PDB file of all heavy atoms in Angstrom:
ATOM      1  N   LEU X 372     -45.722  15.396 -12.013  1.00 98.00           N
ATOM      2  CA  LEU X 372     -46.896  16.064 -11.649  1.00 98.00           C
ATOM      3  C   LEU X 372     -46.899  17.515 -12.165  1.00 98.00           C
ATOM      4  O   LEU X 372     -47.868  18.076 -12.616  1.00 98.00           O
ATOM      5  CB  LEU X 372     -46.984  16.046 -10.117  1.00 98.00           C
ATOM      6  CG  LEU X 372     -48.304  16.460  -9.507  1.00 98.00           C
ATOM      7  CD1 LEU X 372     -49.434  15.527  -9.915  1.00 98.00           C
ATOM      8  CD2 LEU X 372     -48.189  16.416  -7.940  1.00 98.00           C
ATOM      9  N   LEU X 373     -45.689  18.174 -12.115  1.00 98.00           N
ATOM     10  CA  LEU X 373     -45.598  19.500 -12.628  1.00 98.00           C
ATOM     11  C   LEU X 373     -45.467  19.616 -14.103  1.00 98.00           C
ATOM     12  O   LEU X 373     -45.861  20.585 -14.783  1.00 98.00           O
ATOM     13  CB  LEU X 373     -44.367  20.198 -11.932  1.00 98.00           C
ATOM     14  CG  LEU X 373     -44.551  20.450 -10.445  1.00 98.00           C
ATOM     15  CD1 LEU X 373     -43.287  20.939  -9.723  1.00 98.00           C
ATOM     16  CD2 LEU X 373     -45.660  21.492 -10.186  1.00 98.00           C
ATOM     17  N   THR X 374     -44.928  18.476 -14.749  1.00 98.00           N
ATOM     18  CA  THR X 374     -44.901  18.483 -16.199  1.00 98.00           C
ATOM     19  C   THR X 374     -46.375  18.331 -16.719  1.00 98.00           C
ATOM     20  O   THR X 374     -46.664  18.913 -17.728  1.00 98.00           O
ATOM     21  CB  THR X 374     -44.153  17.200 -16.686  1.00 98.00           C
ATOM     22  OG1 THR X 374     -42.783  17.397 -16.270  1.00 98.00           O
ATOM     23  CG2 THR X 374     -44.203  17.125 -18.159  1.00 98.00           C
ATOM     24  N   ARG X 375     -47.194  17.659 -15.974  1.00 98.00           N
ATOM     25  CA  ARG X 375     -48.653  17.697 -16.349  1.00 98.00           C
ATOM     26  C   ARG X 375     -49.197  19.035 -16.437  1.00 98.00           C
ATOM     27  O   ARG X 375     -49.941  19.421 -17.318  1.00 98.00           O
ATOM     28  CB  ARG X 375     -49.324  16.888 -15.252  1.00 98.00           C
ATOM     29  CG  ARG X 375     -50.905  16.659 -15.607  1.00 98.00           C
ATOM     30  CD  ARG X 375     -51.637  16.217 -14.309  1.00 98.00           C
ATOM     31  NE  ARG X 375     -52.731  15.345 -14.580  1.00 98.00           N
ATOM     32  CZ  ARG X 375     -53.884  15.780 -14.997  1.00 98.00           C
ATOM     33  NH1 ARG X 375     -54.140  17.056 -15.242  1.00 98.00           N
ATOM     34  NH2 ARG X 375     -54.932  14.874 -15.188  1.00 98.00           N
ATOM     35  N   LEU X 376     -48.779  19.947 -15.506  1.00 97.00           N
ATOM     36  CA  LEU X 376     -49.280  21.336 -15.477  1.00 97.00           C
ATOM     37  C   LEU X 376     -48.791  22.052 -16.768  1.00 97.00           C
ATOM     38  O   LEU X 376     -49.561  22.724 -17.403  1.00 97.00           O
ATOM     39  CB  LEU X 376     -48.742  22.022 -14.195  1.00 97.00           C
ATOM     40  CG  LEU X 376     -49.112  23.484 -14.079  1.00 97.00           C
ATOM     41  CD1 LEU X 376     -50.611  23.712 -13.842  1.00 97.00           C
ATOM     42  CD2 LEU X 376     -48.349  24.161 -12.921  1.00 97.00           C
ATOM     43  N   ARG X 377     -47.594  21.804 -17.090  1.00 97.00           N
ATOM     44  CA  ARG X 377     -47.053  22.538 -18.283  1.00 97.00           C
ATOM     45  C   ARG X 377     -47.676  22.041 -19.598  1.00 97.00           C
ATOM     46  O   ARG X 377     -47.980  22.782 -20.486  1.00 97.00           O
ATOM     47  CB  ARG X 377     -45.490  22.338 -18.336  1.00 97.00           C
ATOM     48  CG  ARG X 377     -44.851  23.041 -19.560  1.00 97.00           C
ATOM     49  CD  ARG X 377     -43.380  22.918 -19.544  1.00 97.00           C
ATOM     50  NE  ARG X 377     -42.782  23.715 -20.598  1.00 97.00           N
ATOM     51  CZ  ARG X 377     -42.310  23.215 -21.708  1.00 97.00           C
ATOM     52  NH1 ARG X 377     -42.404  21.928 -21.980  1.00 97.00           N
ATOM     53  NH2 ARG X 377     -41.797  24.053 -22.670  1.00 97.00           N
ATOM     54  N   MET X 378     -47.914  20.715 -19.657  1.00 96.00           N
ATOM     55  CA  MET X 378     -48.460  20.131 -20.881  1.00 96.00           C
ATOM     56  C   MET X 378     -49.885  20.448 -21.152  1.00 96.00           C
ATOM     57  O   MET X 378     -50.336  20.670 -22.223  1.00 96.00           O
ATOM     58  CB  MET X 378     -48.262  18.640 -20.863  1.00 96.00           C
ATOM     59  CG  MET X 378     -46.865  18.169 -20.921  1.00 96.00           C
ATOM     60  SD  MET X 378     -46.698  16.388 -20.497  1.00 96.00           S
ATOM     61  CE  MET X 378     -47.485  15.636 -21.927  1.00 96.00           C
ATOM     62  N   LEU X 379     -50.684  20.546 -19.997  1.00 95.00           N
ATOM     63  CA  LEU X 379     -52.090  20.713 -20.201  1.00 95.00           C
ATOM     64  C   LEU X 379     -52.658  22.041 -19.735  1.00 95.00           C
ATOM     65  O   LEU X 379     -53.897  22.353 -19.969  1.00 95.00           O
ATOM     66  CB  LEU X 379     -52.810  19.606 -19.391  1.00 95.00           C
ATOM     67  CG  LEU X 379     -52.544  18.189 -19.827  1.00 95.00           C
ATOM     68  CD1 LEU X 379     -53.269  17.144 -18.932  1.00 95.00           C
ATOM     69  CD2 LEU X 379     -53.001  17.966 -21.297  1.00 95.00           C
ATOM     70  N   GLN X 380     -51.821  22.871 -19.086  1.00 93.00           N
ATOM     71  CA  GLN X 380     -52.235  24.233 -18.701  1.00 93.00           C
ATOM     72  C   GLN X 380     -51.345  25.354 -19.248  1.00 93.00           C
ATOM     73  O   GLN X 380     -51.885  26.331 -19.678  1.00 93.00           O
ATOM     74  CB  GLN X 380     -52.367  24.323 -17.198  1.00 93.00           C
ATOM     75  CG  GLN X 380     -53.530  23.620 -16.537  1.00 93.00           C
ATOM     76  CD  GLN X 380     -54.814  24.367 -16.624  1.00 93.00           C
ATOM     77  OE1 GLN X 380     -54.947  25.396 -15.964  1.00 93.00           O
ATOM     78  NE2 GLN X 380     -55.757  23.828 -17.375  1.00 93.00           N
ATOM     79  N   GLY X 381     -50.041  25.079 -19.203  1.00 90.00           N
ATOM     80  CA  GLY X 381     -49.147  26.055 -19.751  1.00 90.00           C
ATOM     81  C   GLY X 381     -49.127  27.443 -19.087  1.00 90.00           C
ATOM     82  O   GLY X 381     -49.517  28.397 -19.657  1.00 90.00           O
ATOM     83  N   PRO X 382     -48.751  27.484 -17.734  1.00 91.00           N
ATOM     84  CA  PRO X 382     -48.820  28.740 -17.077  1.00 91.00           C
ATOM     85  C   PRO X 382     -47.930  29.833 -17.617  1.00 91.00           C
ATOM     86  O   PRO X 382     -48.131  30.967 -17.377  1.00 91.00           O
ATOM     87  CB  PRO X 382     -48.488  28.399 -15.597  1.00 91.00           C
ATOM     88  CG  PRO X 382     -47.758  27.130 -15.698  1.00 91.00           C
ATOM     89  CD  PRO X 382     -48.243  26.366 -16.904  1.00 91.00           C
ATOM     90  N   GLY X 383     -46.813  29.439 -18.347  1.00 91.00           N
ATOM     91  CA  GLY X 383     -45.969  30.477 -19.010  1.00 91.00           C
ATOM     92  C   GLY X 383     -45.020  31.173 -17.954  1.00 91.00           C
ATOM     93  O   GLY X 383     -44.797  30.698 -16.915  1.00 91.00           O
TER      94      GLY X 383
END
Side-chain angles (χ1 to χ4, degrees):
L372 196 60
L373 291 169
T374 296
R375 186 196 209 282
L376 178 68
R377 181 175 187 258
M378 293 168 69
L379 298 176
Q380 287 279 294

